[in-house]
Amino acid sequence: MPRWTPLHLHLVTPAFVGQPPTPGPQMFPVSSIRGVLRYWLRALAGAHIGDNLSTLARAETAVLGAANDTGQPSPILLRPAKAVTYQAPSAAHTWLPGTTASAPTGYLLGQGLYDARTRQLLRPFLAPDTDIPLRVKNLAGDEQWTLFLAALWALRTFGGIGARSRRGFGTITLPDSHTLHRAPQWITRDDDQDLPQVLHDVGEALTALAITADPGPDPAQRPRYPHFDLGDPPDWYGTVDDQLNANTPGTALAETGWALRSFRLATTSDRDDDHDDTDRPRPGEGPRNSVDYREITKPYLNTGRPGHTIPINAALGLPINYSDPAPGGGTAQRRSAVIEPLPPTQSNPNAQATMAPRPGPPNPAAMAAARAHRPAPPTAALRRASPLWLRVHHSGNRWKIRSLALYAEWLPAGASLRIRDTTSEDLRTHTRHPSTGVPIPTQDTVDDTLAAWFRWIGRP
C-alpha cells in the first residue's frame, strides 16, 4: 500500500516562489516544483530519446502527468506538509545590504525583482536556511519512481526553485533524501560527477517502461531542446565547479553577480584573453555599459537606427532589456528598449518594408489603436531562457559556483531579432521609435560565448 513519505527541501540561497501578496505564513506552491521537475526530466530523458517529441511526452506523462493538466494525472503525488514563512522585501538586508555592495546581487535579480534606483527588493521571498516540508507518495512502479528521483537529483544538483534559479537563487539541498523509498546513492549526494550513473539508470527505467525512440538520438545532431547526452566526453553539455571567495550566501551571490556582470560587459577579445584582467570591472566599481548597449541600444534610442553590431550577450538568454536616463531628464525619467526574437512565421521588421505585401483584412486591434493614437500591439516575441545555469552552493567549508551549459538549438531556423522601444509614453522628451531588425548571432557565436564563460569564471 503506497504511503506518504516526508521530503524536505532546504534552501541555501533566497527563493522567489509563487506570488504571495503579503509576507507571512503561506502554503508552499507545489506546482512550482512540478514545473521545474518537468524541465529536468526532459533534460535527462532526452539523452536517450532525442528529438522524438511524442516519445518524450510519453516519458513526461508517465512520471509527472499530462503537462496541460487536462489528461493523465501524475502518479507521483506531492503535497505541502505545512506552511512556510515568506519574508518582507525589507528583510533582504541580511543578504542584500542597501549599499553599493548590493549592486552585483541586484544585477543577478534583474529588473523584475530589484529596483536598482532605490536599491530595494520588490517581492517577498523565502530566506536562506528555510526548510520546505513536503510529502510525496508513489502510486506507480519503481521505474516511474526512479525517473522522479532522477529529475529531483538534477534539480538539486544543477538548478534551483523559483524565479532567477538560473542565476543562483533558490538553490536547495535534500537533507533527508536517504530516507526516501529505494533511494539510490546518487540522490543522497550533491555531486555532478554522478550524472553518467543517473543517465544510465534513467535509460534502464525508460526501457523497462517500453518508452524508447527508434531511431535514438543522433550524436552529431544538435538537440532541439536542452538535454544531456551520453557522449564521453559529452557533446551537448558542459559543467564545472569553481570556488568562490565568499563566506555567506549573500557574499556568494554578490561574487557571482560581479563575475556575470563583468563577463557581459567585456568585449569578445577580452573574454578570449586568458591573461589580461585589466578591463574587468572590480567589485564596488561604478557602472559600465556593454558593447551591445553602446553600439546597438543607445544609437537606436537616440536616432531609431541601431548599429550593425551582433548582440553577443543575446547568447545568454533573450529577451534583453536595457534602460538609460533620458537626455535632459531627471534620474527618474528613463528610456528603455528590448532586444527580442521573432518566431520564424513573423518577418523581420526590415524585411516587411521591402516585401510590400498585399493589404490584408482589417485588423480590429490595429484600427482601435489608431483611433486612440497609440501604436498597435507589438508582434508576439519568443522567449529563449539562458542555456547557462549557475548554481551557488556550499561544499565542505567553501562556497562554489557550478556552471552548466546546455548546447541546444539556440533559435529555430528562420527566426529573427528585433529591437523595440519600450519607453513609457509619459516621457514626452523622447520620440518613440518603430521596432527594427538587428543582426542575429550564429550558433557558433553562442557556443563560443558559453565556452568563454567557463574560461572566465575559472580565472583568479
Side-chain angles (χ1 to χ4, degrees), residues 254-277:
E255 190 174 342
T256 301
W258 168 76
L260 182 63
R261 176 176 170 268
S262 64
F263 180 74
R264 289 175 65 99
L265 296 183
T267 65
T268 300
S269 59
D270 291 337
R271 294 174 179 179
D272 291 339
D273 188 340
D274 290 334
H275 306 291
D276 185 4
D277 285 347

Side-chain angles (χ1 to χ4, degrees), residues 96-439:
L96 181 65
T99 67
T100 55
S102 69
T105 309
Y107 181 86
L108 280 184
L109 287 165
Q111 298 173 19
L113 296 176
Y114 180 74
D115 187 329
R117 185 173 57 86
T118 62
R119 297 174 185 164
Q120 292 181 344
L121 198 64
L122 300 177
R123 274 177 53 181
F125 65 96
L126 295 174
D129 284 331
T130 296
D131 187 60
I132 302 173
L134 306 174
R135 297 182 300 153
V136 60
K137 181 189 289 188
N138 177 25
L139 300 181
D142 289 341
E143 290 79 15
Q144 290 92 335
W145 182 243
T146 295
L147 294 174
F148 170 79
L149 292 181
L152 185 64
W153 173 88
L155 166 62
R156 184 273 315 280
T157 304
F158 296 114
I161 59 175
R164 308 302 283 174
S165 56
R166 293 174 191 258
R167 294 295 177 261
F169 292 92
T171 296
I172 63 168
T173 61
L174 302 171
D176 59 356
S177 56
H178 62 284
T179 67
L180 295 171
H181 174 65
R182 292 178 59 88
Q185 284 296 311
W186 41 257
I187 195 67
T188 67
R189 296 189 291 256
D190 184 354
D191 191 346
D192 59 341
Q193 299 303 307
D194 284 326
L195 178 57
Q197 183 61 50
V198 175
L199 288 172
H200 174 271
D201 293 354
V202 166
E204 288 197 335
L206 291 172
T207 300
L209 292 171
I211 302 176
T212 57
D214 186 20
D218 180 357
Q221 184 66 38
R222 183 180 297 274
R224 290 174 55 191
Y225 61 93
H227 68 67
F228 298 105
D229 68 84
L230 303 178
D232 184 17
D235 297 300
W236 302 119
Y237 74 90
T239 181
V240 68
D241 260 8
D242 287 291
Q243 291 189 355
L244 299 173
N245 296 316
N247 53 19
T248 67
T251 54
L253 288 168
E255 190 174 342
T256 301
W258 168 76
L260 182 63
R261 176 176 170 268
S262 64
F263 180 74
R264 289 175 65 99
L265 296 183
T267 65
T268 300
S269 59
D270 291 337
R271 294 174 179 179
D272 291 339
D273 188 340
D274 290 334
H275 306 291
D276 185 4
D277 285 347
T278 57
D279 289 332
R280 297 183 68 170
R282 312 308 302 177
E285 181 181 329
R288 293 185 184 181
N289 294 315
S290 67
V291 175
D292 294 357
Y293 169 79
R294 294 195 307 269
E295 299 186 8
I296 301 175
T297 307
K298 189 170 184 178
Y300 170 70
L301 289 174
N302 286 341
T303 67
R305 296 185 298 275
H308 297 291
T309 302
I310 294 175
I312 57 175
N313 285 326
L316 298 178
L318 289 165
I320 308 175
N321 293 287
Y322 291 97
S323 174
D324 72 359
T331 56
Q333 295 182 302
R334 301 186 70 83
R335 308 176 300 176
S336 59
V338 60
I339 297 177
E340 57 193 1
L342 295 179
T345 55
Q346 304 293 339
S347 298
N348 184 291
N350 284 341
Q352 291 178 354
T354 60
M355 292 169 62
R358 294 176 179 270
N363 183 326
M367 294 173 65
R371 286 194 296 270
H373 303 289
R374 293 182 288 105
T379 303
L382 292 171
R383 283 194 64 86
R384 269 302 184 265
S386 175
L388 180 65
W389 289 81
L390 304 178
R391 180 176 184 261
V392 174
H393 64 111
H394 197 253
S395 177
N397 61 350
R398 299 298 301 267
W399 285 89
K400 293 186 175 183
I401 176 172
R402 177 172 294 155
S403 301
L404 168 69
L406 294 165
Y407 298 93
E409 179 184 80
W410 183 65
L411 281 178
S416 57
L417 287 186
R418 71 176 174 193
I419 186 167
R420 180 166 57 88
D421 195 331
T422 56
T423 306
S424 169
E425 293 179 9
D426 295 335
L427 187 57
R428 304 297 181 187
T429 60
H430 175 68
T431 301
R432 291 282 291 274
H433 300 294
S435 59
T436 186
V438 296

